[in-house]
Amino acid sequence: MQLKDRMKNNIVKLIKESNKIVFFHHEKPDGDALSSSYALLKGIQKTFPDKEVKWVADKNYIENRFPYLNVDYSDNISDLSLINDEWLGIIGDCSNINRIFGNEALSSAGKKACFDHHRNDIDFECDAFWHEPTFPASAIQSYEIAKELKIEFDAELALQFVFGILTDTGNFKYSLNDTRPLQAATELFAFVDRDRMSYVYNEMNVKTKTDIAVQGFAFTNYVFNAETKFAYCLWTKETMEKLQITEGDAHRPNILANVE
């Protein structure tokens, strides 16, 4: 058995053995973080109705950023003191404890599982860790865990999984030599309602006035160091106040990617 499969199966084993499971996401969650937490949560609830499966979610942020996703918050835990050693805490798409939303509750969980596709090493103790930096999205890991658990997909559940693959691959443009995202998405698209997917896809690619302001400032104020081949843009508090944007608005990876 390959190392990847052993790491994945360790997480699957913990999920099967645990009666109480709570999912976490990183701060300012993107689509990949949602597929790695919310989608897997809904799948486990559907397949294992006797398990108590909850979520520690930044509801305000998710509602503002993804109003078109129809996220269900009925299983969101707002009182973090309820998490104790009876729970299995699971975090996907992040292995840095300081970046996890509600990390104090994760620290209180009796057992912890983590899966991540970033290159950095995990910085907290974990009972099962699946590190897969060759994957362009942790949503693919989440999907593979779901398949191993024999979760049956329906239209909405499949959309929640594929959403993370689309967002973290930039609609596949960051993984052109890797067939795994395409294969996973193809399997999921077989379940997704076409009209619903079209609506979500259009919404996730909308450019707001804030998007245009951020990109415009970055493109006209970036600095390029010819010696180090490093391009950067400095955001000041004064600039953000002038453009009426927040720190979160200014956090846009890849804006300055592929500068000549």
Side-chain angles (χ1 to χ4, degrees), residues 67-129:
Y68 50 87
L69 279 185
N70 297 336
V71 175
D72 175 16
Y73 297 98
S74 60
D75 298 301
N76 183 29
I77 294 181
S78 55
D79 184 0
L80 300 186
S81 66
L82 296 175
I83 306 301
N84 54 35
D85 58 7
E86 297 179 354
W87 293 81
L88 164 65
I90 302 179
I91 173 68
D93 193 37
C94 183
S95 53
N96 184 320
I97 191 68
N98 290 326
R99 290 195 62 237
I100 299 173
F101 181 78
N103 54 38
E104 63 272 27
L106 177 61
S107 298
S108 299
K111 291 186 178 181
K112 304 172 188 63
C114 175
F115 56 94
D116 191 16
H117 74 112
H118 297 98
R119 288 187 173 89
N120 56 282
D121 294 327
I122 192 168
D123 66 357
F124 61 94
E125 292 187 6
C126 206
D127 297 274
F129 178 43

Side-chain angles (χ1 to χ4, degrees), residues 12-21 41 44-54 75 87-88 149:
V12 171
K13 184 173 181 290
L14 279 177
I15 292 173
K16 288 181 176 179
E17 292 175 347
S18 301
N19 294 320
K20 291 186 174 184
I21 303 170
L41 172 149
I44 292 174
Q45 284 181 332
K46 179 180 179 181
T47 308
F48 302 96
D50 293 336
K51 295 183 183 294
E52 185 176 358
V53 190
K54 300 292 184 179
D75 298 301
W87 293 81
L88 164 65
L149 290 168

Side-chain angles (χ1 to χ4, degrees), residues 40-228:
L40 195 51
L41 172 149
K42 299 309 272 187
I44 292 174
Q45 284 181 332
K46 179 180 179 181
T47 308
F48 302 96
D50 293 336
K51 295 183 183 294
E52 185 176 358
V53 190
K54 300 292 184 179
W55 192 28
V56 175
D58 189 346
K59 181 180 177 182
N60 291 336
Y61 184 89
I62 296 170
E63 283 182 329
N64 289 331
R65 184 169 181 181
F66 306 108
Y68 50 87
L69 279 185
N70 297 336
V71 175
D72 175 16
Y73 297 98
S74 60
D75 298 301
N76 183 29
I77 294 181
S78 55
D79 184 0
L80 300 186
S81 66
L82 296 175
I83 306 301
N84 54 35
D85 58 7
E86 297 179 354
W87 293 81
L88 164 65
I90 302 179
I91 173 68
D93 193 37
C94 183
S95 53
N96 184 320
I97 191 68
N98 290 326
R99 290 195 62 237
I100 299 173
F101 181 78
N103 54 38
E104 63 272 27
L106 177 61
S107 298
S108 299
K111 291 186 178 181
K112 304 172 188 63
C114 175
F115 56 94
D116 191 16
H117 74 112
H118 297 98
R119 288 187 173 89
N120 56 282
D121 294 327
I122 192 168
D123 66 357
F124 61 94
E125 292 187 6
C126 206
D127 297 274
F129 178 43
W130 178 15
H131 193 206
E132 193 60 62
T134 66
F135 276 1
S138 284
I140 305 173
Q141 294 175 279
S142 179
Y143 172 59
E144 288 201 4
I145 291 170
K147 288 202 301 180
E148 201 67 33
L149 290 168
K150 298 186 175 0
I151 289 173
E152 293 185 8
F153 298 97
D154 54 33
E156 187 61 25
L157 184 59
L159 184 146
Q160 296 295 341
F161 277 100
V162 82
F163 183 70
I165 297 175
L166 289 174
T167 54
D168 246 35
T169 62
N171 300 328
F172 305 112
K173 71 179 180 180
Y174 304 138
S175 56
L176 296 180
N177 65 335
D178 191 342
T179 61
R180 294 171 299 181
L182 291 167
Q183 181 178 346
T186 299
E187 293 171 1
L188 289 164
F189 278 137
F191 299 94
V192 178
D193 177 77
R194 179 169 181 162
D195 290 339
R196 174 84 172 120
M197 186 71 252
S198 178
Y199 167 73
V200 169
Y201 187 80
N202 288 336
E203 288 296 315
M204 66 185 280
N205 288 289
V206 165
K207 279 188 171 59
T208 65
K209 291 181 179 179
T210 298
D211 295 328
I212 294 171
V214 169
Q215 292 181 10
F217 180 85
F219 288 147
T220 54
N221 292 276
Y222 76 91
V223 178
F224 179 68
N225 187 313
E227 182 178 348
T228 61

